[in-house]
Each structure stands twice: as C-alpha cells, then as structure tokens.
Amino acid sequence: MARLDVRETLHNISFPGHLHTQDSLNYAINFPFRDTDTLIATYPKSGTTWMQGIVTAIENRGDPHLSKTVPNWTRAPWLEQYYSPGVLEASHGHRIITTHLPYQLLANALQDSKAKIIYVIRNPRDVVVSYYYFHKMANFLPDPNSFDEFLDEFLEGKVSYGSWFDHVKGWTSQAGVLANFFCISYEEMWLDLQGCMKRISSFLECPLVDEELARSLKQCSFSSMRDNPMVNYTQVPNEIMDHSKGHFMRKGKIGDWRNTFTEVQIDHFDNVYSSQMQNCPITFLSE
Ligand code: PPS
C-alpha cells in the first residue's frame, strides 16, 4: 500500500491515502466498540505514541517485553487505518485502539459505549511545529513548504485530520458525557509523569505497586522511547519516512514552539486561537 500522493476525504477532512481508504474510514465510523476497549484519541503530534507506551506499560505492569517486541501500530492500532480490521478482529480480549478521528466522526459508534477513552491534548503551538517537521520527513504527507504557509493551513484546518480547534472542542465536550472519558495533557505528563501515570492507571483500574510504576516510568521516558525501534518508526523504510530529513522522536519538549514562531506568527496565532476557543477555556502548563 504505497499511495503516497493519494488523499482520501471524509466529511471535508483530508487523510493520507497511504494509510486510509474510504473503506477503512467507513469501517472506523461504524466500529462496534466493546465496553472492554481502551481508546486513545488524539490530534496528531499530541502525544499519541507516548500514551500508547504508557497504557501498554501500565497494562503489563511495567514488563517491557510487549513494548520492545511488538510495534505500536500492532499493539494499539489506529482504528481508521487500512490494516486495523485484520488486527482488531483477530484480538479477542481487551484491546487498545488509537484514533486521530475527531469526535464528530465517532459520535455514533461511541454512543452508549462504556469503552475507556483517553484524550490527550497538547499546546497547539508545539503541535503545529511538531507536525511541520513531521511533514518534512513523512512522504505520505504533502510537502509543507515554509512554516509560515503550514501555520496558515493549520489555523484554517486544512491540514490532514482537519482542524485542531474542532478536534479539541469536539472531544473535550464529552467530559462528563461519555461514560468513561479521561482527558490529560502532554504538558502534565511532561511535568509530572509519575503523577500522571498513577492517574491513568487508576482510570484504567490497574493500580501499580511502586516497583511496577518505576519500571513503567523508565520505559516511557523520552530517551527509552526514542531508542526503541518498536515505537520510533526507524523500521519504516526511507521512501515512506525519510529519516535523513528528521526523527519521529524529534525533541519531546514543551514550549519549544518559541524557537520557531516569529512575533508576527505569535500574534496571528493568538488572534485565531482566542476567536476559535472563546467558549472552550483551556490553559496549557509551561515549564
Ligand atoms: S503521531 O504521528 O500523531 O502519532 O505523533 P505523536 O506520537 O502524537 O506525537 C509525536 C510527538 O511526541 C513526542 N514524544 C514524546 N515526548 C516526550 N516523551 C515521550 N516519551 C515521547 N514520545 C513521543 C515526539 O518527540 C513528538 O514531539 P516533537 O515535539 O516533534 O518532538
């Protein structure tokens, strides 16, 4: 499945055709969730891989075997990507499922579901920078041209997977509505991974003893994940992800957007942000 230049569109949202087909997108929006499923929902570049690692570590009580032997897309497949039916239908017990889809597209499938949902949110300034560099290396995403142009497309919601604003407003509106919904930020995890790990393990009803927690923390540190070929995408061939143009595990920092944005871009971003998010007050922690 190369289709590197193909784009698929669903509900006006564009998806890379290398990973999605109309069939796979329709499979996702009609997916029969089980109450025993755990769903990790994120806008791209918000800490998806990190949360996949955290949930895997918690559910395996800190035993690193699975995370070191099975790629993240197999142990926590993206629901909307073309290979997921094969992986999900073969798994009979508890499933960890990932999605970048906005809530609006999964609303029907999740209606009345008791699946556990973890939504990870990240400061969109760091998201757009991370996404920009990812577009440079991922040959299944359009060439981003300059950061200025990419920033405009991001703010207008024209990038793959759609508008960050719609994504965040849609999913966070489900706090207290969906039966088992938990929202956490990349920044909280960055500043206090141990505290977050305890909160996530309690949400998953899988409390860890100190030794299990210590092993889980070690496994999910940026350096461990950066060096783990099962999560750092180094196994993906260069024609799909050009590793000479960057690393998937790029910096793993908070607030690094300040090194990319100009003053003019900061003002423009802040204007769009305050008009889009006026009814959705969210603050992002910084160092
Ligand atoms: S994707 O393509 O949507 O699945 O990307 P996603 O995993 O959501 O986001 C990638 C960014 O997360 C950073 N990352 C981490 N940061 C801190 N600690 C850990 N363990 C970790 N794992 C992944 C990764 O470096 C990307 O962020 P940037 O800012 O580009 O470095």
Side-chain angles (χ1 to χ4, degrees):
M1 176 112 170
R3 307 204 322 146
L4 293 174
D5 296 326
V6 177
R7 321 285 312 149
E8 294 288 350
T9 305
L10 186 73
H11 290 253
N12 281 331
I13 299 176
S14 172
F15 297 89
H18 172 62
L19 295 164
H20 308 81
T21 61
Q22 285 299 315
D23 281 352
S24 76
L25 292 168
N26 279 303
Y27 173 83
I29 65 178
N30 295 303
F31 186 68
F33 283 97
R34 300 180 196 151
D35 289 349
T36 49
D37 290 336
T38 296
L39 177 68
I40 298 169
T42 58
Y43 189 84
K45 315 321 285 183
S46 300
T48 323
T49 317
W50 199 3
M51 186 55 75
Q52 290 170 327
I54 291 170
V55 173
T56 304
I58 291 173
E59 292 188 353
N60 288 278
R61 304 202 163 276
D63 180 345
H65 179 73
L66 197 64
S67 60
K68 291 213 165 145
T69 51
V70 180
N72 59 332
W73 61 82
T74 303
R75 63 184 146 76
W78 273 261
L79 180 60
E80 59 274 15
Q81 298 186 356
Y82 73 92
Y83 55 79
S84 84
V87 181
L88 291 172
E89 281 157 27
S91 110
H92 296 292
H94 169 64
R95 304 179 292 190
I96 306 172
I97 305 171
T98 306
T99 187
H100 283 326
L101 292 181
Y103 171 70
Q104 293 82 334
L105 291 185
L106 286 183
N108 278 341
L110 285 170
Q111 206 177 18
D112 303 324
S113 168
K114 294 194 179 61
K116 288 186 164 44
I117 301 169
I118 301 178
Y119 187 60
V120 189
I121 182 172
R122 185 182 189 187
N123 186 327
R125 299 163 186 84
D126 282 323
V127 169
V128 68
V129 172
S130 178
Y131 212 7
Y132 170 70
Y133 283 104
F134 189 55
H135 274 66
K136 285 184 172 233
M137 72 172 303
N139 288 335
F140 53 86
L141 292 170
D143 190 332
N145 299 318
S146 67
F147 179 69
D148 207 45
E149 284 169 77
F150 187 76
L151 180 61
D152 281 343
E153 284 174 28
F154 178 86
L155 292 173
E156 288 166 22
K158 290 185 181 158
V159 291
S160 294
Y161 304 97
S163 157
W164 180 89
F165 302 104
D166 292 347
H167 206 280
V168 168
K169 287 188 276 191
W171 278 107
T172 56
S173 73
Q174 294 308 302
V177 179
L178 285 167
N180 286 308
F181 182 81
F182 180 88
C183 182
I184 195 161
S185 71
Y186 181 102
E187 289 73 23
E188 288 173 278
M189 303 199 299
W190 201 90
L191 291 165
D192 177 18
L193 186 56
Q194 177 162 328
C196 289
M197 193 86 92
K198 284 184 183 167
R199 285 166 58 206
I200 298 163
S201 64
S202 143
F203 174 70
L204 295 174
E205 298 175 88
C206 188
L208 303 178
V209 300
D210 288 351
E211 195 191 317
E212 294 165 347
L213 181 64
R215 283 204 307 253
S216 301
L217 284 169
K218 193 171 163 207
Q219 230 180 94
C220 296
S221 71
F222 181 74
S223 58
S224 301
M225 292 191 58
R226 181 195 56 205
D227 297 339
N228 179 355
M230 294 296 134
V231 298
N232 65 15
Y233 291 91
T234 47
Q235 291 193 325
V236 174
N238 262 333
E239 55 271 27
I240 294 166
M241 278 192 197
D242 189 339
H243 303 285
S244 70
K245 292 190 178 158
H247 303 291
F248 180 87
M249 298 287 178
R250 196 181 56 95
K251 286 193 174 178
K253 291 196 168 156
I254 63 175
D256 188 60
W257 60 272
R258 290 191 179 81
N259 293 318
T260 302
F261 277 60
T262 63
E263 289 301 320
V264 174
Q265 288 164 347
I266 293 174
D267 285 347
H268 178 43
F269 187 99
D270 287 351
N271 283 334
V272 177
Y273 187 93
S274 44
S275 105
Q276 284 271 3
M277 299 297 280
Q278 50 187 327
N279 297 320
C280 185
I282 292 176
T283 36
F284 293 97
L285 300 169
S286 54
E287 268 180 273

